[in-house]
Structures are given as C-alpha cells and as structure tokens.
Amino acid sequence: MEELVALCKRRGFLFQSNEIYGGLQGLYDYGPLGVELKNNLKQAWWRSMVFNRDDVEGLDASILTKPSVLKYSGHEDTFSDPMVDCKSCNQRFRADQVPEHCKKEDLTEPRQFNLMFKTSVGPVEDKDSFGYLRPETAQHIFTNFKNVVDSTSKQVPFGIAQIGKAFRNEIVARQFIFRMREFEQMEMQFFVRPGEEMKWYEYWKDFRMKWHNSLGMGKENYRF
C-alpha cells in the first residue's frame, strides 16, 4: 500500500489533503492526472447510465441535509460503528479492528459512534439549527421522487441517478482512498412495480457488468 500511495503522489494522481500542514487523515486531493482520470470515469458512467437511456433521469441534489430526512431513513439511529478506547495507548479503534497487540483488559466497552458529520445551518448555533453532511447520495433521490415524476411524466419502471460528494466520519480512516471521510459516489436507484424486482435486478447486474468489462481492465478483476 505504501508503494501504491507513493506512486500516485509521484505521478500526480493523488496527494494527501492539507499535506504541507501535516495532512488530514482520510482526505485526499486529486492531482493533475487524477482529476482527469476521475472526470473521464464519471462522464463514461453518466453517458451509459443516464444520457444514453430514456428510462433514467439525472439529479444533482444538495450536500447539506435536513435532520428529519436522515431521521426517517434510519441514519440517526443506525448509521454507526462500534468504538472502543485503549487505556494504555490512548487510541481509538473500531471494535472489530483492534490490533492484536492491544490487551483486552485495557479496552473500554464498545459504544456506538454515529458516522455522520454535523454542521450548523444559519447564523445561530442551537439544537434546532443544525444539519448533516449527507452520508450517501441516495436520500435526495427518494425525497425528490415526486418532483422528478411531476416534471418529467415518468412512469415506473424508471431510475434516478446522481454523482456527488458524501461524507462519513470514520473512527479510523485507513486503506488509502478505499475508506475516506470525504468521497464521491455514483448511484442510481431504479423504481419498479412490486413483483418485478428480481427481473430488473438480473437485468441491471448484466448491464452494469458489461459496462465494467468494456473499460478493458480484464474480466478476472470483477466479481459480484
């Protein structure tokens, strides 16, 4: 992994964010080649998923999210990881990722840590003036479902797609860009009539795998 990170920096693909001030864990900046690669991938995905299809519409929704949206989606109560503290080394770990050298007797009891970033909305900070940075891109696809139907006259089955930033306050952000606190998602939700979900599930599995294979990375590198 260290060799991969060094190569990406040397070639101008990825830099650790805020690096000249010591860096910020779990955040990376895309360099001159990295941003072109990422944009090419996003454009190819959008053409295949939205632009070339009559049954999928695009969306670009806000990052700031009203708390009630994430309350009723279950994120306020369940979007969390178990966290423990080590009394001897003063470090925090996900309960399922404690290093082997940590003694069990030095660890606190696991407690749930919500992964969503909070922020204040408006000039006054109080319990009623906060919002969340969205933890994934799906919520506003659902909250805008009626708006999309009313403005496009779409009928089920159809999909809504979005590319955008998402944020997760990981307890320990590791694994380079494979587990970050700020990242981009490409997501499509496809709405079907009850009873037809498995037919469409198999269709989309086949359609998307053909797209991945068309990128030329080799079939052996993909699996469901």
Side-chain angles (χ1 to χ4, degrees):
M1 185 64 77
E2 290 179 0
E3 291 180 6
L4 176 62
V5 173
L7 175 66
C8 287
K9 178 181 178 181
R10 190 165 64 249
R11 297 289 175 86
F13 282 96
L14 287 156
F15 311 129
Q16 186 174 16
S17 191
N18 307 277
E19 184 179 37
I20 64 171
Y21 292 102
L24 196 55
Q25 194 177 30
L27 297 174
Y28 285 89
D29 299 332
Y30 288 82
L33 287 180
V35 69
E36 298 298 335
L37 176 63
K38 187 173 76 159
N39 285 340
N40 286 342
L41 180 61
K42 287 160 60 176
Q43 291 164 11
W45 186 90
W46 193 262
R47 282 196 303 271
S48 172
M49 188 65 83
V50 182
F51 191 77
N52 292 336
R53 298 188 64 96
D54 293 328
D55 59 350
V56 177
E57 298 291 342
L59 187 70
D60 185 1
S62 63
I63 287 172
L64 286 173
T65 306
K66 192 171 182 177
S68 55
V69 172
L70 294 163
K71 173 185 177 182
Y72 290 112
S73 68
H75 283 72
E76 279 197 331
D77 295 327
T78 63
F79 200 74
S80 58
D81 280 337
M83 178 176 69
V84 295
D85 293 323
C86 178
K87 300 172 185 175
S88 58
C89 66
N90 296 318
Q91 288 186 297
R92 286 185 173 140
F93 306 97
R94 272 180 50 181
D96 59 344
Q97 295 182 349
V98 178
E100 292 183 2
H101 65 268
C102 280
K103 299 178 181 178
K104 290 184 178 180
E105 57 268 25
D106 291 338
L107 300 176
T108 62
E109 288 295 317
R111 61 192 186 282
Q112 292 300 313
F113 171 74
N114 194 288
L115 301 176
M116 293 192 294
F117 281 101
K118 271 187 179 181
T119 186
S120 59
V121 180
V124 179
E125 292 188 32
D126 57 35
K127 62 181 180 63
D128 297 319
S129 66
F130 77 94
Y132 291 108
L133 302 183
R134 65 186 183 196
E136 53 194 33
T137 53
Q139 280 68 45
H140 286 303
I141 288 178
F142 297 127
T143 59
N144 278 295
F145 177 83
K146 187 176 187 300
N147 290 330
V148 173
V149 170
D150 290 347
S151 60
T152 64
S153 301
K154 276 285 182 284
Q155 293 183 344
V156 172
F158 79 97
I160 302 175
Q162 178 173 214
I163 298 176
K165 289 287 185 96
F167 304 82
R168 297 180 185 177
N169 194 12
E170 299 286 351
I171 297 170
V172 180
R174 295 174 178 160
Q175 298 176 300
F176 195 27
I177 60 170
F178 304 111
R179 194 173 183 92
M180 298 200 300
R181 292 189 167 104
E182 176 186 335
F183 53 94
E184 230 168 334
Q185 290 182 319
M186 302 183 289
E187 181 164 14
M188 192 273 289
Q189 301 288 334
F190 199 74
F191 302 93
V192 304
R193 293 183 178 88
E196 295 185 353
E197 56 270 17
M198 292 309 298
K199 178 187 75 172
W200 283 105
Y201 176 62
E202 293 301 326
Y203 166 82
W204 280 108
K205 282 177 66 177
D206 178 66
F207 183 83
R208 297 313 299 162
M209 187 57 82
K210 286 179 179 176
W211 180 80
H212 282 289
N213 288 327
S214 75
L215 301 179
M217 305 300 289
K219 290 184 178 181
E220 69 277 6
N221 292 315
Y222 294 100
R223 66 180 185 273
F224 287 110

